[in-house]
Amino acid sequence: MKTETNLGTSLDPWYDHYAARAAGLSASEVRALFAVASRPEVVSLAGGMPFVAGLPNDRITGSIERVMATVGPQALQYGSGQGIPSLREHITQVMAAEGIQASPEDVVVTTGSQQALDLVTKIFIDPGDVILAEAPSYVGAIGVFRSYQAEISHVAMDDNGLIPEALEERIITLRAEGKTVKMLYTIPNFHNPAGVTLSSDRRASIAEICRRHHVLIMEDNPYGMLSFDEPAPDAIRAIDDGVVYLGSFSKTLAPGFRIGWVLAPHAIREKLILAVESAILCPSSFSQFVINDYLDTTDWLAQINTFKGIYRGRKNAMLTALDDHLPELSWTNPNGGFFVWLTLPDELHSKAMLPRAVKELVAYTPGTAFFADGGGGQNIRLSFCYPNETDIATGIRRLSTVINGELDLINTFGRGATTSVSRETDYTAPPPNIN
Amino acid sequence: MKTETNLGTSLDPWYDHYAARAAGLSASEVRALFAVASRPEVVSLAGGMPFVAGLPNDRITGSIERVMATVGPQALQYGSGQGIPSLREHITQVMAAEGIQASPEDVVVTTGSQQALDLVTKIFIDPGDVILAEAPSYVGAIGVFRSYQAEISHVAMDDNGLIPEALEERIITLRAEGKTVKMLYTIPNFHNPAGVTLSSDRRASIAEICRRHHVLIMEDNPYGMLSFDEPAPDAIRAIDDGVVYLGSFSKTLAPGFRIGWVLAPHAIREKLILAVESAILCPSSFSQFVINDYLDTTDWLAQINTFKGIYRGRKNAMLTALDDHLPELSWTNPNGGFFVWLTLPDELHSKAMLPRAVKELVAYTPGTAFFADGGGGQNIRLSFCYPNETDIATGIRRLSTVINGELDLINTFGRGATTSVSRETDYTAPPPNIN
């Protein structure tokens, strides 16, 4: 038996029992701050919550009632690990809208696309394997990759998305160092958090590079249908059917049902079904039947158009407010999705500034959450999906007060005047409403 | 780039990319057989599906309608990783019925208790760590443990459950061999698949042994409330609050919602919340609100009593049929739950015999599914939870035809007359309806 010499950890009698992969599982400081930020007087530009109040509540209730009346015992029972066939059929129709031709046989329904992300990583990644990801990348993906002890290598992106030349160079460099590069994780459309979209020609280049270098592409596309002007280019999966493609009903319908999916080549799909069964036995039958009925009976594309109108208006409100209150800063102009990526003046640090912002009753997600390597201090992610246009304008005004206040302090007293910050990485999973 | 020399695996271009933990992820032969066994003319004594047709459909529909009318936008939205507070409060009341005093703060809601099993294993088990489990043990647990590359060591049980002396001896032996013994996984009540219940005095002994040897107990209790005569003894968690306890609404209400939970000491619970968020962001808000309303508005204990009556009748029908048709064999007499564990004559092998049984239109789960070490050939698990009493009697009659037919063949022509069987372990996850 070990002697418990460390007073800090000896409070947990199992401190010597955890797996190596659990070493980093501790709540971040940012997490504690977000608990405060959920107070109603705070305008939160931090969350990735869709505006579910914009859904047709009566139609969803109608779907639920039909499910209970017609297939109640099936909806209340265990189902198959792969998901119900009629829903998988619908899912192929949804994907067809993004240029993807696929068989329902190759679709696996998951508990949100987050679970697909988790299980694809579980079946492919040994400790130390490299996953390539955009710089920045989705915070929930970074958390999953860390939980399987992957090494995350960020690849540069610009306003047209991931840069193919940078990707190829990185693959070559890492392999020359003896690293095992297994996978590229990419969010091509209306990127979380960067807001940019991968151009059509780059999609072809990236597919070609990854195929040539034998790197699996995991394409995560929760926002693709939520475009504001012209639709997003066809998915990378539409170019290359070797891609593992992740989709979700969380942004186009409702996250409360926890239904997403993964489309994968035959052999991978077989392993994913077994992985789903091991993890949860099966996705919720009830949720699947309800979404299936909703897609059967509702003009779901019209509902997505409604959402697009709402989110377009909110994005415009955010850009207008940024123009009005922070004209000296730069930000991305997303063509869809939920997020704007703001670049701060060099003197400021997004994580150090957050407590002051919350004190001014505005919350955002610091850029540090989206990097596995300590980057992101110069950036903040602003979400326009959940607050209304008035609140967005108020939030940006408050943010400008914080930013300008910090700059004034520095101009008067020098850099020491602002709070210092530990440069540790925020690599734990965020609270779910921040994803 | 590797040259693809192996024709069999080269069909999967990613065959050289999988993680070590995915090596065993392939569908078992039994799995294919169960696909056939799901035809309606087959009486399935294989599944672990609860009899959801026995639920008050109108009350559940009422709960759903109230949820949509009163908290619709919350039910459709992301929630917290830990689960909604009012449901966690209800869960402590459910556990109080089994002698457990707990705070809602220490409960984490999961996607069925299967996910709790997965995540507890994920945060504790490094490859090669030993998990102790009953011989036999739950097939879905064996699958999870394998997926994290645990070594599973089966400990003997008898009609009073796990044998404390065997447990202590095993811990000492394994540690003397230099093994890292981290955890005991146990199903104390109405065991799946063995049908037996751990006696009250043994619970205290096992808690004491594990505490003294610093072995974490994971207590899995999906069936505890479904007793036929006297209630099960208090949970091990009621004796020792260091136990990690798993509960579920899948057997007492409905598996289609995929809601279970884990009760864990503070430090472990904190890690589990982060693990849930990494795996799925949050459990289904919708499912949680519906179950919360059902528990608020329905006499749920009366409904569990209805289930107890149904399952008691079905168990009796099964034992009567076994007495009538297979009097020379032995089986367990469960005091609750879903399963009877039958021991075959020495000459027969449960997995080898399964195809013949399916041909005779009866299905069961071979004992081999419940061992990680190749054991179980002499046993079969018979489920009485789903088929009605008439079908159970028919199923057992058909089973006796198969068994007696095999014995006749052997008596006449010797052992070579029956199908040989590969003695490989069935360690993959079962189809969900077989759990």
Side-chain angles (χ1 to χ4, degrees):
Chain A
M1 307 277 281
K2 297 188 188 173
T3 313
E4 299 185 9
T5 49
N6 183 329
L7 204 68
T9 53
S10 69
L11 294 170
D12 175 10
W14 303 107
Y15 76 96
D16 57 346
H17 253 46
Y18 295 108
R21 70 174 73 83
L25 273 181
S26 58
S28 67
E29 345 162 6
V30 170
R31 193 181 171 88
L33 209 61
F34 281 130
V36 179
S38 64
R39 295 198 317 257
E41 63 271 28
V42 177
V43 171
S44 179
L45 307 174
M49 297 189 295
F51 184 62
V52 293
L55 285 167
N57 194 306
D58 56 329
R59 296 208 71 93
I60 294 175
T61 302
S63 286
I64 293 169
E65 287 171 344
R66 261 189 308 280
V67 165
M68 285 302 289
T70 58
V71 289
Q74 285 161 267
L76 297 173
Q77 191 56 272
Y78 290 111
S80 87
Q82 187 172 6
I84 65 172
S86 53
L87 179 62
R88 287 187 280 116
E89 182 77 43
H90 272 301
I91 285 170
T92 61
Q93 291 155 11
V94 171
M95 291 189 293
E98 307 206 51
I100 295 172
Q101 298 303 314
S103 158
E105 287 303 302
D106 291 330
V107 173
V108 182
V109 178
T110 52
T111 304
S113 62
Q114 183 74 18
Q115 187 182 38
L117 187 52
D118 183 69
L119 296 179
V120 171
T121 309
K122 184 177 182 184
I123 69 169
F124 278 106
I125 297 302
D126 286 313
D129 286 351
V130 177
I131 300 175
L132 303 160
E134 283 122 0
S137 186
Y138 165 50
V139 56
I142 293 173
V144 166
F145 300 158
R146 293 264 188 183
S147 83
Y148 292 101
Q149 300 164 275
E151 187 179 316
I152 301 158
S153 184
H154 288 290
V155 179
M157 62 195 305
D158 60 20
D159 282 348
N160 291 313
L162 188 70
I163 301 167
E165 296 73 23
L167 173 68
E168 181 157 27
E169 194 185 305
R170 184 67 55 81
I171 295 169
I172 292 169
T173 306
L174 287 166
R175 290 216 169 131
E177 291 169 3
K179 306 268 188 188
T180 304
V181 180
K182 284 212 175 145
M183 200 187 287
L184 167 67
Y185 170 72
T186 179
I187 307 159
N189 298 325
F190 320 129
H191 190 271
N192 177 6
V196 302
T197 294
L198 186 66
S199 65
S200 182
D201 59 323
R202 284 192 180 178
R203 291 175 195 233
S205 298
I206 286 169
E208 189 277 322
I209 290 167
C210 286
R211 183 170 280 271
R212 186 155 39 81
H213 288 281
H214 198 47
V215 170
L216 182 69
I217 297 176
M218 174 155 54
E219 179 179 23
D220 191 4
N221 188 23
Y223 310 102
M225 302 197 76
L226 297 169
S227 60
F228 300 150
D229 305 305
E230 59 202 73
D234 279 356
I236 307 175
R237 171 55 177 76
I239 302 167
D240 183 344
D241 62 11
V243 167
V244 173
Y245 177 93
L246 276 50
S248 177
F249 290 110
S250 291
K251 274 73 181 187
T252 52
L253 181 53
F257 294 119
R258 307 308 302 119
I259 297 293
W261 69 88
V262 50
L263 169 69
H266 181 95
I268 299 174
R269 172 258 286 174
E270 283 299 288
K271 287 185 194 293
L272 285 172
I273 295 171
L274 295 168
V276 166
E277 293 178 1
S278 182
I280 58 158
L281 299 178
C282 59
S284 166
S285 304
F286 189 83
S287 289
Q288 289 183 81
F289 275 108
V290 170
I291 293 182
N292 185 63
D293 184 276
Y294 174 84
L295 295 172
D296 262 343
T297 58
T298 306
D299 185 350
W300 54 272
L301 270 172
Q303 172 57 32
I304 289 175
N305 282 333
T306 302
F307 275 136
K308 284 156 77 159
I310 293 168
Y311 296 134
R312 187 193 294 110
R314 290 176 177 191
K315 181 204 79 164
N316 290 338
M318 181 170 279
L319 295 200
T320 301
L322 286 167
D323 272 331
D324 289 349
H325 297 291
L326 290 163
E328 68 284 3
L329 269 51
S330 64
W331 52 83
T332 55
N333 180 356
N335 234 324
F338 285 6
F339 309 112
V340 165
W341 185 242
L342 181 77
T343 303
L344 294 174
D346 284 350
E347 303 92 310
L348 300 185
H349 191 279
S350 57
K351 192 171 149 193
M353 195 175 71
L354 183 56
R356 289 165 198 257
V358 174
K359 197 153 171 262
E360 285 291 333
L361 306 183
V362 60
Y364 59 80
T365 311
T368 49
F370 306 98
F371 285 85
D373 59 6
Q378 239 52 53
N379 295 99
I380 71 182
R381 188 189 75 177
L382 297 171
S383 309
F384 50 80
C385 45
Y386 196 71
N388 63 34
E389 297 181 20
T390 308
D391 286 344
I392 287 171
T394 305
I396 296 295
R397 186 173 43 72
R398 290 175 184 170
L399 181 64
S400 74
T401 305
V402 177
I403 290 175
N404 292 325
E406 292 287 287
L407 289 174
D408 276 355
L409 263 181
I410 289 168
N411 290 339
T412 313
F413 300 106
R415 276 208 186 203
T418 60
T419 320
S420 70
V421 64
S422 76
R423 301 278 160 154
E424 57 161 292
T425 309
D426 295 322
Y427 56 78
T428 57
N433 54 352
I434 307 299
N435 70 82
Chain B
M1 306 278 282
K2 296 186 187 172
T3 314
E4 300 186 8
T5 50
N6 183 330
L7 206 67
T9 52
S10 68
L11 293 171
D12 175 10
W14 303 107
Y15 75 96
D16 58 346
H17 252 48
Y18 296 108
R21 70 174 74 82
L25 273 182
S26 58
S28 68
E29 344 163 6
V30 170
R31 194 181 171 88
L33 208 61
F34 281 129
V36 180
S38 65
R39 295 197 318 257
E41 63 272 27
V42 177
V43 171
S44 178
L45 307 175
M49 296 189 295
F51 183 63
V52 293
L55 284 167
N57 194 307
D58 56 329
R59 296 208 70 94
I60 294 174
T61 303
S63 285
I64 293 168
E65 288 171 343
R66 260 189 309 278
V67 165
M68 285 302 289
T70 58
V71 288
Q74 285 160 268
L76 297 173
Q77 190 56 271
Y78 290 111
S80 88
Q82 185 171 8
I84 65 173
S86 53
L87 180 61
R88 287 188 279 115
E89 181 78 42
H90 272 302
I91 285 170
T92 60
Q93 290 154 12
V94 171
M95 291 190 293
E98 307 207 51
I100 295 172
Q101 298 304 314
S103 158
E105 286 303 301
D106 291 330
V107 173
V108 181
V109 178
T110 53
T111 304
S113 62
Q114 184 74 17
Q115 188 182 37
L117 189 51
D118 183 68
L119 296 180
V120 172
T121 309
K122 184 176 182 185
I123 69 169
F124 278 106
I125 298 301
D126 286 313
D129 286 350
V130 177
I131 300 175
L132 302 161
E134 283 123 0
S137 186
Y138 166 50
V139 57
I142 293 173
V144 166
F145 300 158
R146 293 264 188 185
S147 83
Y148 291 101
Q149 299 165 275
E151 188 180 316
I152 300 159
S153 183
H154 289 289
V155 179
M157 62 195 304
D158 60 22
D159 282 349
N160 292 312
L162 188 69
I163 301 168
E165 296 73 23
L167 173 67
E168 181 157 27
E169 193 186 306
R170 184 67 57 81
I171 295 169
I172 292 168
T173 306
L174 287 165
R175 290 213 168 134
E177 290 170 3
K179 305 269 188 187
T180 304
V181 181
K182 283 211 176 145
M183 199 188 287
L184 166 68
Y185 170 73
T186 179
I187 307 159
N189 298 325
F190 320 130
H191 189 271
N192 176 7
V196 302
T197 294
L198 186 66
S199 64
S200 181
D201 58 324
R202 284 191 180 177
R203 291 175 194 232
S205 299
I206 286 168
E208 188 277 323
I209 290 167
C210 286
R211 184 170 279 270
R212 186 153 40 80
H213 288 282
H214 199 46
V215 170
L216 182 69
I217 297 176
M218 174 157 53
E219 178 179 23
D220 191 3
N221 188 24
Y223 311 102
M225 301 197 77
L226 297 169
S227 59
F228 300 151
D229 305 306
E230 59 203 73
D234 278 356
I236 308 175
R237 171 56 177 74
I239 301 168
D240 183 344
D241 62 11
V243 167
V244 172
Y245 177 94
L246 275 52
S248 177
F249 290 109
S250 290
K251 275 72 182 187
T252 52
L253 180 54
F257 294 119
R258 308 307 301 121
I259 297 292
W261 69 88
V262 50
L263 169 68
H266 182 95
I268 299 174
R269 172 259 286 175
E270 284 299 289
K271 286 184 194 294
L272 285 171
I273 294 170
L274 295 167
V276 166
E277 293 177 1
S278 182
I280 58 159
L281 298 180
C282 60
S284 166
S285 305
F286 188 83
S287 289
Q288 290 183 81
F289 276 107
V290 170
I291 293 181
N292 185 62
D293 184 276
Y294 173 85
L295 295 172
D296 262 344
T297 59
T298 306
D299 184 351
W300 55 272
L301 269 171
Q303 173 56 33
I304 289 176
N305 283 332
T306 302
F307 275 136
K308 283 155 78 159
I310 293 168
Y311 296 134
R312 187 193 295 111
R314 290 176 177 191
K315 181 205 78 165
N316 289 338
M318 181 170 278
L319 294 199
T320 301
L322 286 167
D323 273 330
D324 288 350
H325 298 292
L326 290 163
E328 66 285 3
L329 269 52
S330 63
W331 52 83
T332 55
N333 180 356
N335 234 324
F338 284 6
F339 308 111
V340 165
W341 185 242
L342 181 77
T343 304
L344 294 175
D346 284 350
E347 304 92 311
L348 300 185
H349 191 278
S350 57
K351 192 171 151 192
M353 196 174 72
L354 184 57
R356 288 165 199 259
V358 173
K359 197 153 171 261
E360 285 291 333
L361 306 182
V362 59
Y364 58 80
T365 310
T368 49
F370 307 99
F371 285 85
D373 60 6
Q378 240 51 54
N379 295 99
I380 70 182
R381 188 190 74 175
L382 297 171
S383 309
F384 50 81
C385 46
Y386 195 71
N388 64 33
E389 297 181 20
T390 308
D391 286 345
I392 286 171
T394 304
I396 296 295
R397 185 172 45 70
R398 290 175 184 169
L399 181 65
S400 74
T401 305
V402 178
I403 290 175
N404 292 323
E406 292 287 287
L407 288 175
D408 276 355
L409 265 180
I410 288 168
N411 289 338
T412 312
F413 299 107
R415 278 206 185 206
T418 59
T419 321
S420 70
V421 65
S422 77
R423 301 278 161 154
E424 58 160 289
T425 310
D426 295 322
Y427 56 78
T428 57
N433 54 353
I434 307 301
N435 69 84

